[in-house]
């Protein structure tokens, strides 16, 4: 099956052979019972999606008896087809179904869709707060604030990472520099770079901060090369 599909002419002999093979696999899967049946059908959906055979994939999904699993497969197909709004709505439905693992995945997927596909940054941040698996969800919220054009809020969350996650503190401190550079605030970018060198002198980020200061014409001792800060 993996060698077939993709841009296949509907009436071609290859397409007819694929239809026959899928039909046989479909019937074999339907002949099973219980969780194994749905698991095999779900795997067939994945195979069809990987081949770009979306109509066939949707037909197989309809045969899955486990409603949460079927919904999850529909979400994956919708996202694959670029139907982000539809996928997000289905995620909300799945979040209320009786399957804790898939409900969690649906919540995480909806947050991702809001952040990366639908530009619903405020809604995404609320979901990341609900998911609450720091520091990962904090970084995601930072990205939302940056895209939303709210550098102060992003900076504050970087401070939160510095406070509570020592291993990622230098990274968060340096990211503040990037935030203010993107915002076009040189003074705050320089202040943030100086803070990196002062607080984390032995971290690799200190070297990067030093290079940033040199680019701005700022002496690491605190002086400013004339004319470079304007």
């Amino acid at each position: 099956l993996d060698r077939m599909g993709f841009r296949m002419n509907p009436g071609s002999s290859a397409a007819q052979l694929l239809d026959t093979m899928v039909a046989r696999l479909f019937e074999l899967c339907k002949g099973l019972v219980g969780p194994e049946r749905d698991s095999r059908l779900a795997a067939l959906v994945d195979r069809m999606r990987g081949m770009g055979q979306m109509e066939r994939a949707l037909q197989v999904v309809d045969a899955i008896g486990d409603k949460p699993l079927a919904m999850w497969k529909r979400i994956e197909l919708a996202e694959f087809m670029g139907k982000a709004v539809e996928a997000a709505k289905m995620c909300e439905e799945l979040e209320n179904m009786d399957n804790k693992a898939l409900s969690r995945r649906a919540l995480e997927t909806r947050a991702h869709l809001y952040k990366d596909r639908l530009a619903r940054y405020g809604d995404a941040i609320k979901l990341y707060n609900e998911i609450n698996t720091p520091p990962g969800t904090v970084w995601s919220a930072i990205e939302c604030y940056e895209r939303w054009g709210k550098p102060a809020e992003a900076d504050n969350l970087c401070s939160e990472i510095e406070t509570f996650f020592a291993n990622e503190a230098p990274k968060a401190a340096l990211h503040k520099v990037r935030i203010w550079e993107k915002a076009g605030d040189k003074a705050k970018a320089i202040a943030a770079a100086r803070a990196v060198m002062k607080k984390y002198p032995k971290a690799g980020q200190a070297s990067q901060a030093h290079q940033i200061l040199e680019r701005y014409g700022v002496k690491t001792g605190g002086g400013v090369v004339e004319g470079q800060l304007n």
Side-chain angles (χ1 to χ4, degrees):
L1 285 177
D2 290 334
R3 298 178 182 179
M4 307 176 72
F6 292 115
R7 300 179 182 177
M8 188 180 296
N9 295 326
S12 67
S13 58
Q16 293 174 7
L17 176 59
L18 177 62
D19 285 335
T20 300
M21 295 173 68
V22 170
R24 289 178 180 175
L25 284 172
F26 194 16
E27 292 304 317
L28 286 172
C29 291
K30 289 197 298 182
L32 301 172
V33 294
E36 183 181 5
R37 175 183 184 276
D38 288 336
S39 177
R40 294 292 181 87
L41 287 170
L44 185 56
V45 171
D46 294 340
R47 184 68 63 85
M48 293 297 97
R49 185 188 67 206
M51 295 169 60
Q53 301 296 318
M54 307 311 293
E55 289 186 10
R56 293 182 176 91
L58 289 168
Q59 291 172 358
V60 177
V61 167
D62 290 338
I64 297 177
D66 184 325
K67 291 184 178 180
L69 178 59
M71 182 63 76
W72 176 247
K73 290 298 156 185
R74 289 190 182 95
I75 291 167
E76 289 184 324
L77 291 173
E79 188 175 2
F80 185 82
M81 291 187 286
K83 299 180 179 180
V85 173
E86 182 179 331
K89 289 180 179 178
M90 288 190 288
C91 282
E92 287 191 81
E93 291 185 50
L94 179 51
E95 288 163 35
N96 294 313
M97 290 185 177
D98 188 20
N99 186 311
K100 186 176 291 186
L102 288 180
S103 176
R104 179 74 174 189
R105 290 176 72 178
L107 181 65
E108 293 170 346
T109 298
R110 185 156 63 99
H112 151 68
L113 289 169
Y114 285 168
K115 176 172 72 75
D116 296 325
R117 304 288 290 278
L118 299 173
R120 292 175 56 177
Y121 302 122
D123 292 329
I125 290 166
K126 290 178 183 177
L127 293 183
Y128 285 124
N129 288 336
E130 182 179 347
I131 295 167
N132 192 30
T133 54
T137 47
V138 181
W139 280 115
S140 293
I142 289 169
E143 190 174 352
C144 286
Y145 278 127
E146 288 185 81
R147 294 181 184 180
W148 203 0
K150 297 191 174 187
E153 288 82 350
D155 183 287
N156 288 338
L157 287 184
C158 285
S159 294
E160 184 177 309
I161 291 177
E162 283 191 84
T163 300
F164 295 105
F165 302 96
N167 289 340
E168 299 203 21
K171 176 183 174 182
L174 183 65
H175 195 73
K176 289 181 178 181
V177 183
R178 309 301 186 193
I179 288 170
W180 292 114
E181 283 190 317
K182 289 178 184 177
D185 193 323
K186 289 184 179 180
K188 288 186 178 179
I190 289 170
R194 282 175 168 160
V196 173
M197 295 187 64
K198 180 179 180 180
K199 295 164 69 175
Y200 312 106
K202 296 182 180 180
Q205 286 79 4
S207 175
Q208 296 178 59
H210 180 270
Q211 293 174 9
I212 291 169
L213 289 173
E214 285 189 334
R215 171 158 50 84
Y216 281 122
V218 179
K219 297 178 181 179
T220 56
V224 178
V225 177
E226 186 176 356
Q228 294 297 310
L229 190 54
N230 297 324

